[in-house]
Amino acid sequence: PVYNGERYVDIALQSIRAQTFEEFELVISDNASTDRTEEICQRYADTDSRIRYVRHDANGGAAGNFNHALRLATAPYFRWACDDDVLLPTNLERCVAVLDAEPETVLVAPRTTVIDAVGDTVADQSWLRRLDLRSPRPSRRLAAFLKAYRWLGCSSQLFGVARTDVLREVGGLGDYPSSDYVLLAEMALHGAVREVDEILFKKRIHEGSSVEENDWDVDRMAEWLNPDNKGTIQWLEVRWLWEFIRAIHRSPVRGREKLACYRQLMREYATPHAKKIMKEVLLLTARTASFGRLPMTQKTHGFNTMYRFKG
């Protein structure tokens, strides 16, 4: 998925083509770029039969573009790749080897390092999270994930190699801020999430990256993910809890183990976030009392059915 990526997309494409694992297809989903992105990507597609370039007529938001790339994929394994990141040459090879050898594993990601606009390693790597969830019990995998990401961090595992059918089953990427954390948690409910203990992925943070460009503003991030979110109220603490509950409910986990998943969610997420959740509930109640019932709209976007309160 790419939008106005002319600055780094050439570097990203070179790093993908340089992979030691060569049996891949690369689907480039261009969200109606207005710079030289089309020219650069089309040149690669014209010279490499593994590359397919698709362009949208209008920018439908980042989440829809991510999920469009997922819809177009035909391989049994899938990896999202941003236009400003860099893959080291053995990234795919090492991840695919784990998935081939471990049927119970649904997602494999190597260790990550953060780089800046010119490719230098960023000194502060404290926001990176290590994630290796191998327990045979889904509830323990979920608990370990929630402990690691309770106070957020860089969700670099989103750019690991996943089983395509499982990624589609969990619904792809949601169009609300930090939906990547919910996606990773839901993947862990379906199977093991593994780490290759080697730095094979460079995540670039710069003034044009999503969080920096949107100045870490929740409303701007929501609109970046889906333009239809403009003017909506982002009740994120309530939303995240609701989405975690939905993830457990629709997961293949059954019986007592599913109940154990709900218990872990309450212990590792709802309780630590209780004050923030209650604050949003009280605000929502006050708004409802002042303005009448807030209409709750349901909209299908990409792979997810999204619920949100209209302002």
Side-chain angles (χ1 to χ4, degrees):
V2 60
Y3 174 70
N4 285 354
E6 66 175 1
R7 183 176 180 183
Y8 297 112
V9 69
D10 189 70
I11 298 173
L13 289 170
Q14 288 181 41
S15 76
I16 294 172
R17 291 185 69 189
Q19 291 298 297
T20 56
F21 183 91
E22 299 178 336
E23 276 189 84
F24 63 81
E25 63 171 356
L26 173 58
V27 178
I28 303 174
S29 182
D30 185 351
N31 224 353
S33 293
T34 58
D35 62 1
R36 292 179 54 248
T37 295
E38 180 177 11
E39 174 191 337
I40 297 168
C41 294
Q42 191 62 62
R43 185 174 73 244
Y44 276 89
D46 290 342
T47 57
D48 192 329
S49 61
R50 299 172 300 177
I51 300 177
R52 178 161 46 126
Y53 173 74
V54 178
R55 179 181 172 84
H56 301 288
D57 294 331
N59 188 333
N65 202 28
F66 269 65
N67 291 333
H68 185 69
L70 177 58
R71 278 194 294 272
L72 294 177
T74 62
Y77 300 155
F78 180 88
R79 184 193 187 280
W80 276 307
C82 287
D83 59 80
D84 51 3
D85 295 335
V86 178
L87 282 67
L88 273 66
T90 58
N91 184 304
L92 295 182
E93 179 184 346
R94 294 292 307 279
C95 292
V96 167
V98 177
L99 288 172
D100 283 347
E102 302 178 5
E104 71 280 6
T105 297
V106 297
L107 175 65
V108 183
R111 291 180 59 190
T112 300
T113 189
V114 180
I115 59 176
D116 62 17
V118 297
D120 293 336
T121 301
V122 175
D124 182 11
Q125 305 272 323
S126 61
W127 60 312
L128 293 173
R129 300 288 186 270
R130 303 286 298 272
L131 204 62
D132 201 65
L133 312 176
R134 307 193 198 190
S135 173
R137 293 189 59 183
S139 61
R140 291 181 178 175
R141 296 196 300 267
L142 177 64
F145 173 84
L146 293 173
K147 286 178 181 178
Y149 278 104
R150 181 184 299 166
W151 309 117
L152 305 183
C154 178
S155 56
S156 60
Q157 293 83 8
L158 181 71
F159 301 101
V161 180
R163 297 191 186 276
T164 308
D165 57 344
V166 178
L167 194 54
R168 285 173 172 157
E169 186 176 348
V170 303
L173 186 67
D175 67 351
Y176 55 94
S178 296
S179 59
D180 45 351
Y181 299 112
V182 178
L183 172 59
L184 290 173
E186 191 162 4
M187 290 293 288
L189 292 171
H190 284 253
V193 175
R194 296 271 279 103
E195 180 183 74
V196 173
D197 193 15
E198 184 179 352
I199 295 176
L200 299 174
F201 177 49
K202 295 183 178 182
K203 180 68 179 171
R204 192 188 304 270
I205 302 298
H206 57 99
E207 65 276 7
S209 57
S210 59
V211 291
E212 296 291 338
E213 185 177 1
N214 293 299
D215 198 29
W216 298 87
D217 182 87
V218 168
D219 293 327
R220 286 168 60 178
M221 282 294 295
E223 187 177 350
W224 173 78
L225 286 163
N226 180 2
D228 289 346
N229 282 332
K230 185 175 183 179
T232 61
I233 303 170
Q234 300 299 315
W235 306 99
L236 287 183
E237 291 290 343
V238 173
R239 178 64 179 274
W240 291 332
L241 179 59
W242 169 244
E243 294 293 346
F244 280 131
I245 292 172
R246 288 183 67 221
I248 296 171
H249 175 73
R250 64 191 175 201
S251 76
V253 184
R254 295 291 179 265
R256 292 183 177 179
E257 187 61 21
K258 176 164 282 192
L259 293 176
C261 288
Y262 286 120
R263 285 196 297 270
Q264 294 291 2
L265 178 63
M266 294 302 106
R267 179 182 300 120
E268 302 297 343
Y269 184 82
T271 300
H273 284 242
K275 289 184 178 179
K276 293 181 179 179
I277 293 170
M278 285 306 300
K279 182 179 179 180
E280 284 193 356
V281 169
L282 291 173
L283 286 171
L284 176 60
T285 303
R287 287 181 65 90
T288 305
S290 299
F291 301 106
R293 182 178 178 272
L294 288 174
M296 195 177 201
T297 62
Q298 176 179 329
K299 178 171 184 173
T300 300
H301 183 78
F303 284 75
N304 285 2
T305 300
M306 314 306 294
Y307 295 89
R308 61 189 185 279
F309 293 100
K310 298 289 288 185

